[in-house]
Amino acid sequence: MKKLKLVQQISSEGVVAVLRGETPEEVVEMADQAIAGGIKVIEVTMTVPFALRAIEELAKRYSSTTQDASKYAIIGVGTALDPETARAAILSGAEFVVGPSLNPNTVALCNRYRVPVMPGCMTIQEIQTALELGVDIVKLFPGNLYSPAMIKAIKGPLPQANIMPTGGVSLSNLGEWIEAGAVAVGIGSDLTSEAVKTGNYSLVAKRAAQYIEAYRAAKK
């Protein structure tokens, strides 16, 4: 039941912070700030050098099962290109796996260990294949190639598909994606770019709070 609970938690939180950086320490700081700002689902991408160190550290600090709100967060891995990467991340503490594309072997590995997996898909055929493989949430990627109307188009033939756009989601269009039927959204550089540029990572918390406010407004 843990997998189902995690999928429900991710859907309920609604906003996923997709974090990239130059060092694991930088990404841990970004994650701490994003969580402080209210984003409780953190995706550490494997493009980060020594990314598993960041996942391990965050998994020690935060838990999806704690009753302590200050320690609550769901830590996952992104840019998992293959099952080997996914398994290494899971062993390091990742509770969900995200990929830029649909890799059936990665999906099979995650299903074996009952870990939510969110592969990137661009077409109806890919999304249908993902559903047949047992995927619970499909990442629409890159989201900036589409408008929110794409979700309505997908849900015509596949109303059962849970879609999470990533890439191109901003404060100005988040509400449109949610209203169109997105189960969650992934936020990347827009969350962290200003902080990286200035070295003031508290800006991540401020930006995260703005995204959470926009998400809650869209869900009303």
Side-chain angles (χ1 to χ4, degrees):
M1 295 297 291
K2 184 179 180 182
K3 177 187 175 185
L4 177 59
K5 183 178 179 181
L6 281 168
V7 170
Q8 291 173 335
Q9 286 175 287
I10 292 168
S11 300
S12 176
E13 293 294 340
V15 181
V16 179
V18 182
L19 302 183
R20 297 180 175 85
E22 297 300 321
T23 67
E25 292 77 16
E26 181 183 32
V27 170
V28 168
E29 178 63 21
M30 289 178 182
D32 285 340
Q33 294 294 333
I35 292 166
I39 297 180
K40 301 297 186 176
V41 188
I42 304 296
E43 175 188 329
V44 177
T45 69
M46 287 300 292
T47 55
V48 178
F50 305 104
L52 295 181
R53 293 184 188 175
I55 292 171
E56 288 175 2
E57 179 59 33
L58 291 168
K60 290 175 184 177
R61 295 188 188 188
Y62 301 99
S63 170
S64 64
T65 60
T66 183
Q67 298 301 310
D68 183 347
S70 67
K71 297 296 183 182
Y72 170 76
I74 305 168
I75 308 302
V77 64
T79 324
L81 302 180
D82 47 54
E84 293 81 7
T85 301
R87 177 162 165 73
I90 292 167
L91 291 175
S92 296
E95 291 194 289
F96 65 92
V97 174
V98 182
S101 61
L102 177 59
N103 183 302
N105 291 332
T106 300
V107 175
L109 180 283
C110 293
N111 286 340
R112 183 179 305 135
Y113 292 101
R114 307 305 296 153
V115 173
V117 57
M118 294 172 263
C121 295
M122 295 180 68
T123 67
I124 292 290
Q125 181 177 359
E126 286 182 319
I127 294 170
Q128 179 177 329
T129 301
L131 295 177
E132 291 168 352
L133 290 170
V135 170
D136 295 294
I137 298 176
V138 174
K139 180 173 79 166
L140 183 65
F141 181 77
N144 56 5
L145 296 183
Y146 306 98
S147 73
M150 180 62 174
I151 293 185
K152 291 183 178 180
I154 292 168
K155 284 185 168 291
L158 298 173
Q160 72 274 28
N162 295 316
I163 307 297
M164 180 182 74
T166 302
V169 179
S170 65
L171 283 172
S172 63
N173 65 22
L174 183 150
E176 295 177 51
W177 284 107
I178 296 301
E179 290 167 12
V183 70
V185 295
I187 310 298
S189 60
D190 189 56
L191 180 66
T192 60
S193 59
E194 193 64 26
V196 171
K197 187 185 304 181
T198 62
N200 180 5
Y201 287 91
S202 66
L203 294 175
V204 175
K206 181 179 179 180
R207 195 67 165 168
Q210 292 173 335
Y211 270 103
I212 291 300
E213 182 180 359
Y215 173 74
R216 289 174 177 166
K219 293 294 286 185
K220 287 183 179 178

